[in-house]
Amino acid sequence: MPDAGGQPQHRIDGGAHEPLPVPAYSEASGLGQIMRDQLPGAFDAQRFKPVMTSHHAVLLKTMALEGRGVAWLPHSLVSAEMADGRLVGAAGQQGDVPLEVRLFRTTDALAPTAETVWAQVARKNS
């Protein structure tokens, strides 16, 4: 969340004297596992203090929008809020973690609902 001047309310590289508040991913979260692997310093207790944990990025986004800390979130989830200035980047590009999602399926027929979902995904990617 930005301050009155449009700058990050909490800066990763700002040399804060106290740990920054972080709505964090739970241990079970896939995104949390990726974060811990790609940015091991993102959970350094000297620099960051978890204020809550969740395996849902949407809940972490809500906390960030309320100004309750720094959250690592997928750009696709926060692009509108960043475009309109409700959220700003707090880490610069060193906080970016590239992520590629790939879907695989069996060649066997799936349940009708799953076939519908697969057809929609395939249509969007063609």
Side-chain angles (χ1 to χ4, degrees):
M1 180 172 183
D3 61 18
Q7 297 301 308
Q9 193 175 67
H10 306 286
R11 282 203 71 89
I12 301 297
D13 57 358
H17 300 294
E18 295 183 19
L20 292 173
V22 176
Y25 291 103
S26 66
E27 292 290 324
S29 165
L31 284 174
Q33 291 172 15
I34 292 167
M35 293 300 305
R36 283 184 287 282
D37 180 60
Q38 295 296 311
L39 295 173
F43 298 94
D44 177 2
Q46 298 287 354
R47 296 179 59 209
F48 304 105
K49 174 185 173 189
V51 292
M52 62 85 73
T53 59
S54 174
H55 59 278
H56 292 290
V58 173
L59 292 177
L60 303 185
K61 173 184 167 181
T62 299
M63 297 292 285
L65 284 166
E66 292 177 358
R68 296 184 184 205
V70 176
W72 276 268
L73 299 165
H75 187 265
S76 60
L77 183 64
V78 296
S79 59
E81 291 80 2
M82 291 187 75
D84 67 21
R86 287 184 289 154
L87 288 176
V88 293
Q93 289 185 333
Q94 76 268 17
D96 290 352
V97 175
L99 179 66
E100 183 176 313
V101 177
R102 294 181 183 212
L103 300 177
F104 297 89
R105 65 163 285 174
T106 179
T107 55
D108 298 336
L110 301 172
T113 302
E115 289 290 352
T116 300
V117 169
W118 188 261
Q120 289 175 355
V121 169
R123 208 176 12 253
K124 286 186 177 187
N125 291 312
S126 60

